[in-house]
Amino acid sequence: MKRIVVIGSGGSGKTSLSNRLAAKLELPVYYLDSVFWGPNWKPVERSEYLDEVTRIVNTDSWVIDGNYSSSFDLRFLKADTIIFLDRSPLLCLFRVIGRRIKYAGHTRPSMTDGNNERLTWAFVSYVLGYRITRRPSILKRLELIDHARVEVLRSNSD
């Protein structure tokens, strides 16, 4: 495992797993939140975002943490391992709220500097609806992957 993609709902544990994998396998870790978001929670230009993801996936090894379906094809094509954290929406929401409390008034390490942790209704809706709105299409895409190992993890023990 030298090129690992970790995807899943907000609060599913992507960053925690990505950090553990990167440390254990001695790989660099990249957080798409810090690639996608510029200062003051403004998304960077789409072309800038895709150029940076392309640069990252063309390096020898990495763990990439994040959803951002606009770059799935770029990442999935180069990955040797894809991990989908398929966790309960309530667990994810609980973790998102905990993260908001932990980083209140601060920027979490996986985020662009100055983008302090926040919790919006739109994000809460995204997390709670992830299984209905995003999960089916992700699972269909993962079924088509034949060049990489695909793992769907539904629990911590998985």
Side-chain angles (χ1 to χ4, degrees):
M1 292 192 309
K2 290 179 50 180
R3 294 178 171 185
I4 305 167
V5 171
V6 181
I7 59 174
S9 173
S12 63
K14 293 183 302 294
T15 300
S16 296
L17 179 59
S18 294
N19 288 336
R20 288 198 324 261
L21 287 169
K24 183 173 180 121
L25 299 172
E26 299 181 349
L27 300 173
V29 62
Y30 298 94
Y31 310 103
L32 292 186
D33 280 343
S34 66
V35 175
F36 183 85
W37 293 106
N40 301 313
W41 291 99
K42 292 183 109 175
V44 300
E45 292 293 325
R46 179 181 166 86
S47 61
E48 182 182 339
Y49 165 74
L50 293 174
D51 286 350
E52 182 60 11
V53 172
T54 299
R55 184 196 67 76
I56 292 167
V57 301
N58 283 323
T59 61
D60 290 335
S61 59
W62 35 260
V63 177
I64 299 177
D65 158 2
N67 281 321
Y68 301 99
S69 59
S70 64
S71 65
F72 274 172
D73 290 340
L74 291 169
R75 291 179 284 141
F76 288 3
L77 183 63
K78 297 282 189 164
D80 60 34
T81 306
I82 302 167
I83 301 171
F84 175 42
L85 299 178
D86 188 14
R87 307 304 301 269
S88 151
L90 291 179
L91 172 67
C92 293
L93 180 62
F94 177 78
R95 288 177 171 175
V96 164
I97 292 169
R99 182 172 70 197
R100 171 61 175 95
I101 293 167
K102 179 178 181 178
Y103 292 105
H106 302 286
T107 304
R108 64 185 143 106
S110 60
M111 185 54 73
T112 304
D113 284 340
N115 286 347
N116 291 346
E117 191 64 26
R118 64 184 186 169
L119 188 59
T120 65
W121 179 248
F123 189 63
V124 168
S125 297
Y126 166 78
V127 170
L128 290 176
Y130 189 87
R131 275 213 163 152
I132 296 167
T133 61
R134 308 286 178 158
R135 180 179 182 261
S137 64
I138 289 171
L139 290 172
K140 283 181 185 174
R141 286 182 94 144
L142 294 179
E143 286 176 8
L144 300 174
I145 304 286
D146 61 2
H147 68 280
R149 178 178 178 176
V150 175
E151 296 290 338
V152 178
L153 307 181
R154 293 183 173 86
S155 69
N156 287 342
S157 61
D158 286 352

